[in-house]
Amino acid sequence: NASSAVRRAPSSRAMTALRTALDAFRAIADPLERYVFLRHLQRRDTSTFYRALVAKPLELMPFVYTPTVGEACERYHELPTAVNGVYITADDAGRVGAKLREHWTTEMAWLREGVGASARGVSARGTGAHAGEAPVAVAVVTDGERILGLGDLGAGGMGISEGKILLYTVCAGVHPTTCLPVCLDVGTNNERLLKDPNYKGLRKERLKGEAYDALVDEFMRELRAWQPRCLVQFEDFGNANAFRILEKYRTTGPCFNDDIQGTAAITLAALLSSLRVTRGELADQKILFYGAGEAGVGIGELIAMAMEKTGMTHNQAMERCYFMDSKGLVCKSRLSGLQPHKVAFAHDVEYQPDLLSAIDAIKPTALIGVSTIGGAFNEDVVKAMAALNERPIIFPLSNPTSKAECTFEQAMRWTDGKVVFASGSPFDPVTRQRDGVKVFPAQANNAYVFPALGYAAALTGASQVTDDLFLAAAEALSKLTTDSEIDAGHLFPDMNAIRDVSVALTAEICEMIVAQGLGSAPRDVSTHAEWLFFIKAHI
């Protein structure tokens, strides 16, 4: 709708409000206070809030999402902020559908009033919403069990859903009134929260087994009955549930797990961009993962898919990816005690008890940290990688910053500035000592991928989201970074140009969805140029 406050050309009054808001934000020093300021702005002056995020994504995103959102989730119930999403609790069994509809029609009224109620591009046809009902294009859903690297934060996980959903609007232009944050409050096993008088979530241990599955199933069933083509993004579920929930629902409607698939796509894109620096071939890489949870395994599987495209067999590709967990190297001799998601990476190699011995035995070209163990990539580890590789590829991906396996400054210092680096959290640039050149760290931010993919699913009314789409997104993203950006250390395009990046990726993914018969194109849209024009017109 051209009258939408988010899309129309801003007036002088709107620009004054934007400058005033940014000045007030910049006058605040504490990151969490900045988070609270932006949350208040979202309710008080909604259109200015979204206008600020779209205008200054690189500056503001760290304060609505990682790394600040981690502390916000830890302290969620003591912060003076209104809840924007919907809680589905264990006590809601039997009335989940009614609660979803009630929240959407009544509790979200402030958002429709703030930015306009209709959204171009995403229609009731695209989402399958019933006539007369406002469509839900995207729902970000968590159960709060594994928030970033911070563990079980129970109902405080709502902050993750509320933060992540914003990125669909900021990065890809999905209208905010079609975005639904959800937290499944199934209790918590976090004793600190259970004893905290401020905690507003269910004060009971987490549901598990059949009771847990029944609530998730009722949520998914009721959401699909109400909004059949709504994209569901599963976020920060624990390992025990993440893989099986994804497998259960991935073919019943459009959904994905960002920790498994989104992280995989951005990491593969970083690896492909890194090879432009090292001049290496993907088929020649050996990747060692420190951490064998959902993020690492998802990355390994997508890298293997990309390697298969070079002519490798599936087994050959999988054997290029090695994993370390808390007990040492994942290998065949440990098969009987491995969790199911690790079994495919249990190769016939000698067991190694620690990271240094694994590096020595495997001789990896790339080291990827998904352990949430801050400082795990110490000087000896980083120097061992540098001894093996002229340009060692090192990705400490764990979030938030305190959980990063190493910092950019450490990686630069311990490799004499030769590291090819990407991290999960942002770091400051470093001046390379040997030549005085300022080098910028790449941040492997999932926001480069999932908003574009989600919008493509919504625009085409996709019936499901396949791994092929994530592979295509990763390959396309790696080609968008210019040579000059690569030379400066940027493995990804400028985040301030994220809308342009998202348009390009959304067009690629829309075409693939339609080509695979998973969705349909709007009338009079068939060529790549027509998709680009259509998407730009509907952001």
Side-chain angles (χ1 to χ4, degrees):
N1 187 331
S3 66
S4 168
V6 173
R7 299 190 70 256
R8 67 188 175 208
S11 65
S12 59
R13 179 180 297 178
M15 292 306 296
T16 299
L18 174 61
R19 285 192 295 270
T20 300
L22 288 173
D23 287 345
F25 168 83
R26 290 162 181 161
I28 301 169
D30 181 73
L32 191 60
E33 289 181 12
R34 285 183 161 192
Y35 172 89
V36 171
F37 171 83
L38 290 170
R39 289 291 299 259
H40 287 171
L41 182 65
Q42 185 179 14
R43 287 287 186 138
R44 185 181 71 251
D45 189 348
T46 308
S47 60
T48 296
F49 169 78
Y50 283 101
R51 190 169 286 119
L53 284 176
V54 171
K56 300 290 182 182
L58 187 61
E59 180 180 0
L60 300 187
M61 275 173 50
F63 302 98
V64 296
Y65 198 60
T66 54
T68 310
V69 75
E71 184 182 0
C73 288
E74 288 182 301
R75 300 176 58 185
Y76 191 83
H77 297 287
E78 63 184 81
L79 296 179
T81 54
V83 176
N84 294 334
V86 57
Y87 280 109
I88 301 297
T89 79
D91 296 337
D92 292 322
R95 58 177 301 271
V96 169
K99 189 168 184 181
L100 285 171
R101 289 176 170 86
E102 180 183 352
H103 176 87
W104 192 243
T105 56
T106 60
E107 297 300 320
M108 299 296 287
W110 65 271
L111 184 57
R112 289 187 286 273
E113 291 168 2
V115 295
S118 61
R120 300 182 70 190
V122 179
S123 63
R125 179 202 69 83
T127 62
H130 299 295
E133 287 192 317
V136 184
V138 182
V140 176
V141 184
T142 187
D143 73 351
E145 186 174 7
R146 193 204 63 83
I147 299 299
L148 302 173
L150 301 171
D152 183 354
L153 298 184
M158 177 61 84
I160 282 291
S161 293
E162 291 171 329
K164 204 99 181 190
I165 204 80
L166 293 173
L167 305 188
Y168 278 94
T169 298
V170 176
C171 301
V174 181
H175 200 282
T177 62
T178 66
C179 297
L180 177 63
V182 181
C183 181
L184 304 177
D185 183 3
V186 296
T188 179
N189 295 335
N190 186 326
E191 287 296 323
R192 179 185 65 82
L193 292 177
L194 291 173
K195 295 175 182 176
D196 184 349
N198 292 315
Y199 185 61
K200 298 182 179 67
L202 287 183
R203 293 180 179 273
K204 58 178 69 173
E205 290 188 354
R206 281 187 167 271
L207 287 183
K208 55 186 179 181
E210 291 182 4
Y212 176 90
D213 289 347
L215 184 67
V216 174
D217 196 61
E218 183 180 352
F219 168 75
M220 291 298 292
R221 186 175 64 251
E222 292 294 336
L223 181 66
R224 289 283 174 243
W226 173 43
Q227 303 277 346
R229 287 291 183 265
C230 169
L231 175 76
V232 176
Q233 175 177 324
F234 297 117
E235 187 72 26
D236 287 353
F237 283 71
N239 285 341
N241 293 318
F243 291 99
R244 63 187 193 86
I245 287 175
L246 177 62
E247 288 307 311
K248 181 174 182 179
Y249 296 107
R250 67 187 306 171
T251 59
T252 65
C255 65
F256 70 96
N257 183 300
D258 189 52
D259 306 293
I260 298 172
Q261 297 162 286
T263 300
I266 193 64
T267 307
L268 174 58
L271 180 62
L272 295 174
S273 292
S274 296
L275 298 180
R276 292 169 59 183
V277 178
T278 66
R279 309 297 180 190
E281 297 293 333
L282 181 61
D284 297 329
Q285 304 309 303
K286 281 186 181 180
I287 296 95
L288 177 59
F289 293 85
Y290 191 64
E294 56 196 272
V297 168
I299 298 167
E301 290 175 343
L302 197 66
I303 289 175
M305 280 184 64
M307 286 181 166
E308 286 182 61
K309 290 182 66 176
T310 70
M312 286 183 170
T313 67
H314 177 70
N315 287 341
Q316 288 172 333
M318 294 289 278
E319 287 173 357
R320 292 287 182 165
C321 298
Y322 299 83
F323 283 82
M324 294 283 298
D325 64 11
S326 60
K327 295 181 174 64
L329 184 65
V330 173
C331 56
K332 211 165 189 177
S333 63
R334 294 181 52 202
L335 265 179
S336 61
L338 290 176
Q339 294 170 286
H341 66 271
K342 301 178 187 178
V343 169
F345 294 99
H347 306 313
D348 191 9
V349 293
E350 187 176 345
Y351 169 76
Q352 303 297 333
D354 56 61
L355 183 54
L356 266 179
S357 62
I359 291 172
D360 182 60
I362 293 166
K363 296 179 172 44
T365 58
L367 177 63
I368 298 177
V370 282
S371 67
T372 70
I373 300 175
F377 294 172
N378 59 29
E379 185 172 0
D380 289 341
V381 166
V382 173
K383 285 188 171 180
M385 286 295 296
L388 290 170
N389 304 281
E390 182 180 350
R391 299 296 304 272
I393 298 171
I394 298 177
F395 296 166
L397 298 181
S398 294
N399 276 316
T401 310
S402 62
K403 303 293 184 180
E405 287 79 7
C406 69
T407 68
F408 182 49
E409 187 278 329
Q410 289 170 334
M412 287 287 286
R413 176 156 44 90
W414 295 334
T415 63
D416 192 26
K418 296 178 181 177
V419 69
V420 184
F421 182 95
S423 58
S425 289
F427 287 105
D428 292 330
V430 170
T431 300
R432 194 162 52 205
Q433 292 184 354
R434 56 186 161 87
D435 56 12
V437 172
K438 181 180 283 189
V439 182
F440 294 83
Q443 184 186 359
N445 193 329
N446 294 15
Y448 281 108
V449 174
F450 73 80
L453 189 144
Y455 200 22
L459 289 173
T460 58
S463 60
Q464 60 179 286
V465 176
T466 64
D467 288 332
D468 287 343
L469 301 180
F470 287 94
L471 179 57
E475 292 174 338
L477 178 60
S478 70
K479 296 172 184 175
L480 294 177
T481 313
T482 65
D483 289 340
S484 60
E485 286 172 330
I486 291 284
D487 290 343
H490 300 292
L491 301 181
F492 308 105
D494 184 354
M495 181 55 76
N496 282 326
I498 188 62
R499 280 289 182 90
D500 294 332
V501 173
S502 291
V503 166
L505 293 185
T506 302
E508 291 268 356
I509 298 166
C510 281
E511 289 182 273
M512 179 171 274
I513 289 171
V514 173
Q516 291 184 348
L518 299 174
S520 59
R523 184 181 299 176
D524 299 327
V525 175
S526 58
T527 68
H528 185 69
E530 288 167 347
W531 270 116
L532 289 173
F533 180 82
F534 177 82
I535 293 162
K536 288 177 183 177
H538 291 85
I539 280 184

